[in-house]
Structure formats: structure tokens, C-alpha cells
């Protein structure tokens, strides 16, 4: 059956106005064109939908039975088209984001609250992972955006990156630990009871490259992989912890002493990761815009550096 959208719109307009002339005006058609559309519809259905009188055009019983269905079809189509336009404009949709705990607990709460106020119909799915896991998720297409550090992951060839910020490494000390005003040298790390992180985190990646002998010379071997657990262990006096200045900006560390390591080599750089050659949705583009907009206003400890003007540069 060859019934088109043009036929349905013509039928509903005539049914509502009870006039070919008025319906033609609403649809911006000539009356002969509208009359032809109705005739084609009736021929296709094999039914008369209208009774023509000298004053009005009235629906036949078949027309009255068909009108609710025709209106419902048009309403559904109009809604679908509206939703599609909203998605294209970034006003509706879903964004999947993977990020490490440091970003998820410092920057992203402010970004997401700002974004949600502006675009309440866009759903955000946030996944926490290590930097290595973030890159794997992006490379596999599991998420639209990743935020983390480059760790040499095998997924790197599938991933493009935009620079976000850098954060020097330092040590978060437990309450009462004797900390003087002297610079904290790399060699001093061997004397501090440090909690370890797991292998594919950005911190471990930086330490393996910048201070490869640290753990070999270190006798304290408690491994704690979760940022909140690390804070809790440090507060309980279990040990100190090497963290980036980004992670140390979390409110849970406010009452603890944090001291930067006196080495600019020991720093993590954070990027926005996306799959190479993937065209971002309008919703994702708006989300990235909010990240760069909000970033300068977020509180970070000393050691976090934000460089402007690199939003569009691609690395890796």
C-alpha cells in the first residue's frame, strides 16, 4: 500500500478544518494539489473518507475511524523528528564517560552538576577505572570519552587524546608524621612507609619511568588500589601515600599534610581520550566544552597546572 506522509497530513488537515480551502492554506498547498492528495489516498484505501457538501467537508464513518490512527502516526513521527533534532543539537542523548578516581572526585562533580543544569535530558554514565582501564574502554568503544593518563596501553593506537592538565606527584602523610620544611627529595621516598598502587595506574606508570628503583629498595609492601581506601589508610596511620596533586585536592585529604616531591619529572599528564576517527555526538561536544569551561574555576592543590589553548590539539 502506497500511503505517504503527504497523504496523511492532507487527510488530517481537511478533517480538522472541514474545508479543502482552509486545509490547503495550512499546508501551504494549492487546492488542486490537496484535492489530488486526498483522491490518491481514497483510491489507495478503496474507501471514501469525506462527504462533500456545498458548505462543509465531513468525515464518512470510515474517515472518522481512520482519523485517530492518522493523528497518532503523525504525532509519533513529529515527536521522533523532534527527538532526533534535539540529539543533533546536543539536547538529548547519552554520554558514557570513563575516568580515574582523582578526576571523578575532584573535577567531574562540578562539571556534571553544571552540565546537568543546562542539559537535563542528557544522560551520563560514569565508569571509574585505572588510566590503563580507561584507555582500554575507549579503544574498545565501550565509552565515548575517557579521562586519564597515557600508560603505554596496547589500546593507544585506537585512541586520540587532547591535553587537559598536568599534576606533580607528592606524598600524603598520616597524622602526626614528622614532616619538616626541607624539600622532599626522591631519595627520601625510600625512608617513608608508602602504600603501593596497582600496576596500570598512572602513578605507578610515572614512578616506573621516573624512579624505577623505588619499590625494589622499599620494604613496605601494602598494596591499596582505591583512592578512598588510600585516604582512609593514611588517616588511620597505616602509611603514607604517593598521590598526584590532583588526587590530593580531594576534600578527604584537607586535614592531612601533602608535600610535593622535589622533581618535575614525577608528574602525571591528563588527557581527554576518544576513539580515533570517531565523530563526537553533539551531546559529547557540549560536555567537553563544559569541562574546559569549568576547569579553571576548580580548586586544586599546588602542583596542578592547566594550560589553555590546547583543547583542539591531538596527541598519540
Amino acid at each position: 500500500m502506497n500511503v505517504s506522509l503527504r497523504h496523511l497530513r492532507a487527510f488530517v488537515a481537511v478533517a480538522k478544518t472541514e474545508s479543502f480551502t482552509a486545509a490547503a492554506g495550512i499546508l501551504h498547498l494549492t487546492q488542486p494539489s490537496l484535492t489530488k492528495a486526498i483522491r490518491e489516498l481514497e483510491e489507495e484505501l478503496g474507501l471514501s473518507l469525506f462527504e462533500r457538501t456545498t458548505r462543509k467537508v465531513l468525515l464518512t464513518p470510515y474517515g472518522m475511524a481512520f482519523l485517530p490512527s492518522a493523528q497518532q502516526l503523525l504525532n509519533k513521527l513529529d515527536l521522533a523528528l523532534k527527538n532526533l533534532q534535539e540529539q543533533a543539537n546536543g539536547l538529548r542523548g547519552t554520554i558514557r564517560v570513563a575516568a580515574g578516581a582523582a578526576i571523578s572526585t575532584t573535577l567531574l562533580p562540578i562539571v556534571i552538576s553544571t552540565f546537568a543544569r543546562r542539559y537535563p535530558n542528557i544522560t551520563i554514565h560514569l565508569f571509574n577505572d585505572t588510566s590503563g582501564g580507561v584507555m582500554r574502554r575507549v579503544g574498545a568503544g565501550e565509552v565515548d570519552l575517557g579521562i586519564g593518563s597515557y600508560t603505554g596501553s596496547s589500546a593507544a593506537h585506537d585512541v586520540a587524546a587532547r591535553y587537559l592538565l598536568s599534576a606533580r606527584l607528592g606524598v600524603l602523610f598520616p597524622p602526626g608524621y614528622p614532616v619538616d620544611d626541607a624539600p622532599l627529595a626522591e631519595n627520601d621516598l625510600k625512608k617513608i612507609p608508602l602504600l603501593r598502587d596497582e600496576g596500570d595506574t598512572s602513578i605507578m606508570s610515572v614512578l616506573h619511568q621516573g624512579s624505577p628503583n623505588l619499590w625494589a629498595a622499599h620494604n613496605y609492601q601494602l598494596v591499596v588500589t582505591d583512592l578512598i581506601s588510600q585516604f582512609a589508610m593514611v588517616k588511620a596511620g597505616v602509611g603514607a601515600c604517593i598521590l598526584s596533586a590532583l588526587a590530593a585536592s580531594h576534600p578527604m585529604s584537607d586535614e592531612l599534610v601533602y608535600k610535593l616531591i622535589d622533581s618535575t619529572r614525577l608528574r602525571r599528564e591528563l588527557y581527554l581520550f576518544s576513539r580515533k576517527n570517531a565523530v563526537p555526538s553533539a551531546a559529547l561536544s557540549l560536555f567537553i566544552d563544559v569541562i574546559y569551561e569549568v576547569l579553571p574555576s576548580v580548586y586544586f592543590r599546588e602542583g596542578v597546572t592547566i594550560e589553555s589553548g590546547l583543547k583542539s590539539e591531538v596527541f598519540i
Side-chain angles (χ1 to χ4, degrees):
M1 185 171 290
N2 190 23
V3 176
S4 69
L5 178 62
R6 176 175 64 90
H7 293 135
L8 292 179
R9 293 200 184 280
F11 167 69
V12 171
V14 174
K16 286 183 175 180
T17 61
E18 300 181 340
S19 166
F20 277 82
T21 303
I26 292 173
L27 298 175
H28 304 289
L29 297 174
T30 64
Q31 188 166 332
S33 296
L34 179 63
T35 302
K36 180 182 178 184
I38 295 298
R39 184 171 64 250
E40 290 173 350
L41 177 59
E42 290 179 325
E43 290 174 355
E44 190 68 32
L45 296 174
L47 299 169
S48 294
L49 299 174
F50 294 103
E51 294 178 357
R52 283 78 165 175
T53 69
T54 55
R55 291 187 176 183
K56 287 185 178 182
V57 180
L58 301 177
L59 288 168
T60 65
Y62 297 116
M64 286 187 286
F66 182 52
L67 181 59
S69 297
Q71 287 179 312
Q72 186 178 30
L73 286 171
L74 290 176
N75 289 340
K76 285 184 176 180
L77 178 61
D78 288 341
L79 180 59
L81 292 175
K82 180 182 177 183
N83 286 340
L84 182 61
Q85 289 176 331
E86 288 182 342
Q87 288 183 32
N89 293 328
L91 300 178
R92 188 180 297 273
T94 299
I95 305 170
R96 300 165 301 165
V97 180
I103 280 288
S104 295
T105 56
T106 54
L107 173 63
L108 285 185
I110 301 172
V111 170
I112 291 175
S113 64
T114 301
F115 188 82
R117 286 195 301 270
R118 295 182 188 175
Y119 310 106
N121 292 323
I122 297 177
T123 302
I124 299 173
H125 291 254
L126 178 60
F127 304 90
N128 285 324
D129 211 329
T130 63
S131 283
V134 167
M135 293 191 70
R136 286 192 293 273
R137 286 178 184 265
V138 173
E142 296 177 14
V143 296
D144 307 299
L145 182 71
I147 309 176
S149 297
Y150 176 64
T151 60
S153 168
S154 60
H157 64 279
D158 293 321
V159 173
R162 280 174 283 189
Y163 180 83
L164 189 65
L165 57 84
S166 68
R168 289 176 56 187
L169 301 193
V171 176
L172 190 68
F173 291 94
Y177 192 91
V179 181
D180 56 33
D181 294 332
L184 182 62
E186 289 185 51
N187 285 335
D188 296 333
L189 299 178
K190 301 173 183 178
K191 309 170 189 175
I192 302 171
L194 293 172
L195 309 176
R196 289 189 63 175
D197 212 331
E198 61 181 327
D200 67 347
T201 63
S202 59
I203 298 296
M204 292 298 285
S205 178
V206 170
L207 290 174
H208 283 318
Q209 294 179 33
S211 187
N213 299 319
L214 172 62
W215 300 116
H218 212 280
N219 294 323
Y220 202 64
Q221 296 294 325
L222 178 61
V223 178
V224 183
T225 61
D226 174 72
L227 180 63
I228 302 304
S229 297
Q230 289 172 340
F231 287 143
M233 293 295 174
V234 173
K235 283 191 173 184
V238 175
C241 187
I242 297 178
L243 296 175
S244 71
L246 172 69
S249 301
H250 190 286
M252 284 189 68
S253 72
D254 283 349
E255 298 176 0
L256 301 172
V257 174
Y258 177 74
K259 193 169 183 179
L260 291 173
I261 301 168
D262 191 24
S263 171
T264 57
R265 293 182 300 106
L266 298 182
R267 62 193 305 122
R268 63 176 299 202
E269 294 183 335
L270 278 90
Y271 300 89
L272 300 184
F273 296 123
S274 58
R275 191 168 174 82
K276 277 184 179 176
N277 303 319
V279 178
S281 67
L284 180 58
S285 295
L286 290 171
F287 187 76
I288 292 173
D289 287 342
V290 172
I291 289 175
Y292 282 101
E293 174 191 333
V294 168
L295 187 58
S297 65
V298 179
Y299 163 76
F300 295 118
R301 283 187 186 257
E302 180 186 358
V304 175
T305 302
I306 302 167
E307 296 185 32
S308 61
L310 294 178
K311 177 181 174 183
S312 61
E313 293 194 21
V314 179
F315 302 80
I316 301 177

